[in-house]
mmCIF file of all heavy atoms in Angstrom:
data_model
loop_
_atom_site.group_PDB
_atom_site.id
_atom_site.type_symbol
_atom_site.label_atom_id
_atom_site.label_comp_id
_atom_site.label_asym_id
_atom_site.label_seq_id
_atom_site.Cartn_x
_atom_site.Cartn_y
_atom_site.Cartn_z
ATOM 1 N N CYS A 377 0.985 25.596 24.561
ATOM 2 C CA CYS A 377 1.575 26.328 25.690
ATOM 3 C C CYS A 377 1.916 25.379 26.833
ATOM 4 O O CYS A 377 2.961 25.518 27.486
ATOM 5 C CB CYS A 377 0.630 27.423 26.152
ATOM 6 S SG CYS A 377 0.425 28.784 24.981
ATOM 7 N N ILE A 378 1.050 24.409 27.113
ATOM 8 C CA ILE A 378 1.329 23.438 28.179
ATOM 9 C C ILE A 378 2.533 22.581 27.815
ATOM 10 O O ILE A 378 3.397 22.299 28.661
ATOM 11 C CB ILE A 378 0.081 22.582 28.430
ATOM 12 C CG1 ILE A 378 -1.047 23.443 28.984
ATOM 13 C CG2 ILE A 378 0.396 21.447 29.390
ATOM 14 C CD1 ILE A 378 -2.363 22.710 29.134
ATOM 15 N N ILE A 379 2.622 22.164 26.561
ATOM 16 C CA ILE A 379 3.757 21.338 26.132
ATOM 17 C C ILE A 379 5.066 22.120 26.261
ATOM 18 O O ILE A 379 6.065 21.606 26.794
ATOM 19 C CB ILE A 379 3.528 20.853 24.691
ATOM 20 C CG1 ILE A 379 2.377 19.843 24.648
ATOM 21 C CG2 ILE A 379 4.800 20.237 24.125
ATOM 22 C CD1 ILE A 379 1.939 19.490 23.243
ATOM 23 N N MET A 380 5.089 23.358 25.785
ATOM 24 C CA MET A 380 6.311 24.156 25.914
ATOM 25 C C MET A 380 6.605 24.499 27.368
ATOM 26 O O MET A 380 7.778 24.619 27.758
ATOM 27 C CB MET A 380 6.180 25.422 25.071
ATOM 28 C CG MET A 380 6.236 25.154 23.576
ATOM 29 S SD MET A 380 6.321 26.664 22.576
ATOM 30 C CE MET A 380 4.686 27.346 22.879
ATOM 31 N N HIS A 381 5.589 24.646 28.188
ATOM 32 C CA HIS A 381 5.791 24.844 29.627
ATOM 33 C C HIS A 381 6.536 23.645 30.224
ATOM 34 O O HIS A 381 7.502 23.813 30.989
ATOM 35 C CB HIS A 381 4.432 25.039 30.297
ATOM 36 C CG HIS A 381 4.466 24.987 31.787
ATOM 37 N ND1 HIS A 381 4.835 26.060 32.568
ATOM 38 C CD2 HIS A 381 4.182 23.978 32.650
ATOM 39 C CE1 HIS A 381 4.764 25.730 33.841
ATOM 40 N NE2 HIS A 381 4.369 24.465 33.923
ATOM 41 N N ASN A 382 6.115 22.435 29.869
ATOM 42 C CA ASN A 382 6.811 21.243 30.352
ATOM 43 C C ASN A 382 8.209 21.113 29.754
ATOM 44 O O ASN A 382 9.140 20.643 30.425
ATOM 45 C CB ASN A 382 5.992 19.996 30.026
ATOM 46 C CG ASN A 382 4.719 19.900 30.859
ATOM 47 O OD1 ASN A 382 4.582 20.559 31.892
ATOM 48 N ND2 ASN A 382 3.779 19.090 30.416
ATOM 49 N N MET A 383 8.364 21.520 28.505
ATOM 50 C CA MET A 383 9.683 21.468 27.882
ATOM 51 C C MET A 383 10.651 22.416 28.580
ATOM 52 O O MET A 383 11.834 22.083 28.762
ATOM 53 C CB MET A 383 9.580 21.807 26.395
ATOM 54 C CG MET A 383 8.786 20.814 25.579
ATOM 55 S SD MET A 383 8.567 21.303 23.851
ATOM 56 C CE MET A 383 10.250 21.125 23.257
ATOM 57 N N ILE A 384 10.175 23.574 28.981
ATOM 58 C CA ILE A 384 11.037 24.521 29.698
ATOM 59 C C ILE A 384 11.443 23.959 31.051
ATOM 60 O O ILE A 384 12.604 24.077 31.468
ATOM 61 C CB ILE A 384 10.305 25.867 29.845
ATOM 62 C CG1 ILE A 384 10.094 26.509 28.469
ATOM 63 C CG2 ILE A 384 11.085 26.813 30.752
ATOM 64 C CD1 ILE A 384 9.204 27.730 28.503
ATOM 65 N N ILE A 385 10.498 23.333 31.754
ATOM 66 C CA ILE A 385 10.827 22.720 33.048
ATOM 67 C C ILE A 385 11.839 21.609 32.864
ATOM 68 O O ILE A 385 12.805 21.484 33.631
ATOM 69 C CB ILE A 385 9.543 22.203 33.719
ATOM 70 C CG1 ILE A 385 8.636 23.371 34.082
ATOM 71 C CG2 ILE A 385 9.871 21.377 34.959
ATOM 72 C CD1 ILE A 385 7.313 22.948 34.674
ATOM 73 N N ASP A 386 11.653 20.789 31.849
ATOM 74 C CA ASP A 386 12.590 19.697 31.594
ATOM 75 C C ASP A 386 13.957 20.219 31.194
ATOM 76 O O ASP A 386 14.987 19.637 31.545
ATOM 77 C CB ASP A 386 12.017 18.793 30.502
ATOM 78 C CG ASP A 386 12.882 17.571 30.245
ATOM 79 O OD1 ASP A 386 13.321 16.939 31.224
ATOM 80 O OD2 ASP A 386 13.126 17.249 29.063
ATOM 81 N N ASP A 387 13.992 21.343 30.472
ATOM 82 C CA ASP A 387 15.271 21.887 30.014
ATOM 83 C C ASP A 387 16.021 22.618 31.127
ATOM 84 O O ASP A 387 17.255 22.562 31.175
ATOM 85 C CB ASP A 387 15.022 22.842 28.840
ATOM 86 C CG ASP A 387 16.308 23.436 28.305
ATOM 87 O OD1 ASP A 387 17.149 22.672 27.795
ATOM 88 O OD2 ASP A 387 16.468 24.669 28.387
ATOM 89 N N GLU A 388 15.304 23.272 32.011
ATOM 90 C CA GLU A 388 15.948 24.089 33.033
ATOM 91 C C GLU A 388 16.091 23.390 34.376
ATOM 92 O O GLU A 388 16.650 23.976 35.303
ATOM 93 C CB GLU A 388 15.159 25.390 33.219
ATOM 94 C CG GLU A 388 15.131 26.245 31.959
ATOM 95 C CD GLU A 388 14.365 27.531 32.156
ATOM 96 O OE1 GLU A 388 13.791 27.692 33.260
ATOM 97 O OE2 GLU A 388 14.340 28.358 31.233
ATOM 98 N N HIS A 389 15.592 22.170 34.532
ATOM 99 C CA HIS A 389 15.718 21.422 35.778
ATOM 100 C C HIS A 389 16.514 20.148 35.550
ATOM 101 O O HIS A 389 16.147 19.070 36.002
ATOM 102 C CB HIS A 389 14.336 21.068 36.346
ATOM 103 C CG HIS A 389 13.606 22.245 36.891
ATOM 104 N ND1 HIS A 389 13.016 23.193 36.078
ATOM 105 C CD2 HIS A 389 13.360 22.641 38.161
ATOM 106 C CE1 HIS A 389 12.432 24.118 36.824
ATOM 107 N NE2 HIS A 389 12.621 23.806 38.088
ATOM 108 N N GLU A 390 17.605 20.296 34.803
ATOM 109 C CA GLU A 390 18.454 19.134 34.560
ATOM 110 C C GLU A 390 19.140 18.657 35.831
ATOM 111 O O GLU A 390 19.468 17.484 35.956
ATOM 112 C CB GLU A 390 19.498 19.466 33.493
ATOM 113 C CG GLU A 390 18.897 19.825 32.136
ATOM 114 C CD GLU A 390 19.952 20.231 31.140
ATOM 115 O OE1 GLU A 390 21.123 20.365 31.578
ATOM 116 O OE2 GLU A 390 19.635 20.406 29.957
ATOM 117 N N GLY A 391 19.361 19.531 36.794
ATOM 118 C CA GLY A 391 20.053 19.150 38.022
ATOM 119 C C GLY A 391 19.118 18.792 39.154
ATOM 120 O O GLY A 391 19.470 18.957 40.327
ATOM 121 N N VAL A 392 17.893 18.323 38.832
ATOM 122 C CA VAL A 392 16.959 17.926 39.882
ATOM 123 C C VAL A 392 17.541 16.751 40.646
ATOM 124 O O VAL A 392 18.082 15.802 40.073
ATOM 125 C CB VAL A 392 15.596 17.564 39.265
ATOM 126 C CG1 VAL A 392 14.667 16.992 40.322
ATOM 127 C CG2 VAL A 392 14.972 18.792 38.645
ATOM 128 N N LEU A 393 17.415 16.818 41.946
ATOM 129 C CA LEU A 393 17.976 15.788 42.804
ATOM 130 C C LEU A 393 17.317 14.448 42.528
ATOM 131 O O LEU A 393 16.101 14.338 42.432
ATOM 132 C CB LEU A 393 17.779 16.162 44.274
ATOM 133 C CG LEU A 393 18.257 15.153 45.316
ATOM 134 C CD1 LEU A 393 19.762 14.995 45.235
ATOM 135 C CD2 LEU A 393 17.816 15.580 46.718
ATOM 136 N N ASP A 394 18.125 13.410 42.384
ATOM 137 C CA ASP A 394 17.605 12.065 42.222
ATOM 138 C C ASP A 394 17.201 11.549 43.589
ATOM 139 O O ASP A 394 18.006 11.034 44.358
ATOM 140 C CB ASP A 394 18.669 11.160 41.582
ATOM 141 C CG ASP A 394 18.115 9.790 41.223
ATOM 142 O OD1 ASP A 394 16.903 9.578 41.438
ATOM 143 O OD2 ASP A 394 18.887 8.941 40.751
ATOM 144 N N VAL A 395 15.922 11.683 43.896
ATOM 145 C CA VAL A 395 15.463 11.355 45.234
ATOM 146 C C VAL A 395 15.505 9.865 45.512
ATOM 147 O O VAL A 395 15.458 9.445 46.666
ATOM 148 C CB VAL A 395 14.031 11.891 45.444
ATOM 149 C CG1 VAL A 395 14.015 13.390 45.412
ATOM 150 C CG2 VAL A 395 13.090 11.324 44.403
ATOM 151 N N THR A 396 15.589 9.045 44.471
ATOM 152 C CA THR A 396 15.629 7.612 44.708
ATOM 153 C C THR A 396 16.935 7.186 45.358
ATOM 154 O O THR A 396 16.995 6.136 45.991
ATOM 155 C CB THR A 396 15.445 6.860 43.380
ATOM 156 O OG1 THR A 396 16.461 7.278 42.462
ATOM 157 C CG2 THR A 396 14.080 7.172 42.789
ATOM 158 N N ASN A 397 17.993 7.981 45.208
ATOM 159 C CA ASN A 397 19.272 7.671 45.833
ATOM 160 C C ASN A 397 19.483 8.442 47.122
ATOM 161 O O ASN A 397 20.564 8.373 47.710
ATOM 162 C CB ASN A 397 20.419 7.986 44.859
ATOM 163 C CG ASN A 397 20.343 7.123 43.609
ATOM 164 O OD1 ASN A 397 19.887 5.977 43.659
ATOM 165 N ND2 ASN A 397 20.777 7.674 42.471
ATOM 166 N N ASP A 398 18.487 9.199 47.550
ATOM 167 C CA ASP A 398 18.605 9.966 48.781
ATOM 168 C C ASP A 398 18.326 9.044 49.964
ATOM 169 O O ASP A 398 17.273 8.395 50.026
ATOM 170 C CB ASP A 398 17.614 11.118 48.763
ATOM 171 C CG ASP A 398 17.902 12.138 49.855
ATOM 172 O OD1 ASP A 398 18.672 11.804 50.773
ATOM 173 O OD2 ASP A 398 17.349 13.249 49.787
ATOM 174 N N PRO A 399 19.217 8.950 50.945
ATOM 175 C CA PRO A 399 18.959 8.050 52.077
ATOM 176 C C PRO A 399 17.763 8.461 52.909
ATOM 177 O O PRO A 399 17.161 7.636 53.584
ATOM 178 C CB PRO A 399 20.265 8.125 52.883
ATOM 179 C CG PRO A 399 20.937 9.380 52.450
ATOM 180 C CD PRO A 399 20.536 9.587 51.041
ATOM 181 N N SER A 400 17.353 9.746 52.865
ATOM 182 C CA SER A 400 16.207 10.168 53.659
ATOM 183 C C SER A 400 14.884 9.645 53.119
ATOM 184 O O SER A 400 13.878 9.640 53.815
ATOM 185 C CB SER A 400 16.150 11.696 53.726
ATOM 186 O OG SER A 400 15.975 12.234 52.432
ATOM 187 N N VAL A 401 14.869 9.187 51.869
ATOM 188 C CA VAL A 401 13.642 8.644 51.283
ATOM 189 C C VAL A 401 13.861 7.209 50.833
ATOM 190 O O VAL A 401 13.187 6.719 49.939
ATOM 191 C CB VAL A 401 13.186 9.509 50.092
ATOM 192 C CG1 VAL A 401 12.774 10.878 50.550
ATOM 193 C CG2 VAL A 401 14.273 9.614 49.032
ATOM 194 N N ALA A 402 14.816 6.531 51.438
ATOM 195 C CA ALA A 402 15.127 5.167 51.030
ATOM 196 C C ALA A 402 14.021 4.194 51.400
ATOM 197 O O ALA A 402 13.878 3.143 50.794
ATOM 198 C CB ALA A 402 16.438 4.714 51.672
ATOM 199 N N SER A 403 13.213 4.515 52.407
ATOM 200 C CA SER A 403 12.140 3.625 52.810
ATOM 201 C C SER A 403 11.050 3.600 51.755
ATOM 202 O O SER A 403 10.770 4.596 51.098
ATOM 203 C CB SER A 403 11.562 4.067 54.160
ATOM 204 O OG SER A 403 10.451 3.274 54.497
ATOM 205 N N SER A 404 10.415 2.468 51.591
ATOM 206 C CA SER A 404 9.344 2.299 50.615
ATOM 207 C C SER A 404 7.969 2.563 51.209
ATOM 208 O O SER A 404 6.957 2.321 50.556
ATOM 209 C CB SER A 404 9.389 0.882 50.021
ATOM 210 O OG SER A 404 9.198 -0.082 51.049
ATOM 211 N N SER A 405 7.923 3.044 52.448
ATOM 212 C CA SER A 405 6.622 3.247 53.070
ATOM 213 C C SER A 405 5.848 4.382 52.415
ATOM 214 O O SER A 405 4.617 4.399 52.452
ATOM 215 C CB SER A 405 6.799 3.531 54.567
ATOM 216 O OG SER A 405 7.560 4.720 54.749
ATOM 217 N N HIS A 406 6.537 5.366 51.807
ATOM 218 C CA HIS A 406 5.842 6.495 51.210
ATOM 219 C C HIS A 406 5.243 6.158 49.854
ATOM 220 O O HIS A 406 4.459 6.938 49.325
ATOM 221 C CB HIS A 406 6.795 7.681 51.056
ATOM 222 C CG HIS A 406 7.996 7.372 50.213
ATOM 223 N ND1 HIS A 406 9.135 6.820 50.724
ATOM 224 C CD2 HIS A 406 8.204 7.517 48.882
ATOM 225 C CE1 HIS A 406 10.017 6.656 49.757
ATOM 226 N NE2 HIS A 406 9.480 7.072 48.631
#
Side-chain angles (χ1 to χ4, degrees):
C377 291
I378 294 174
I379 291 171
M380 289 188 292
H381 169 81
N382 290 342
M383 295 175 69
I384 294 171
I385 294 177
D386 184 45
D387 180 64
E388 297 181 355
H389 289 75
E390 298 176 352
V392 173
L393 177 64
D394 188 2
V395 294
T396 57
N397 297 328
D398 193 345
S400 62
V401 294
S403 175
S404 61
S405 61
H406 59 273

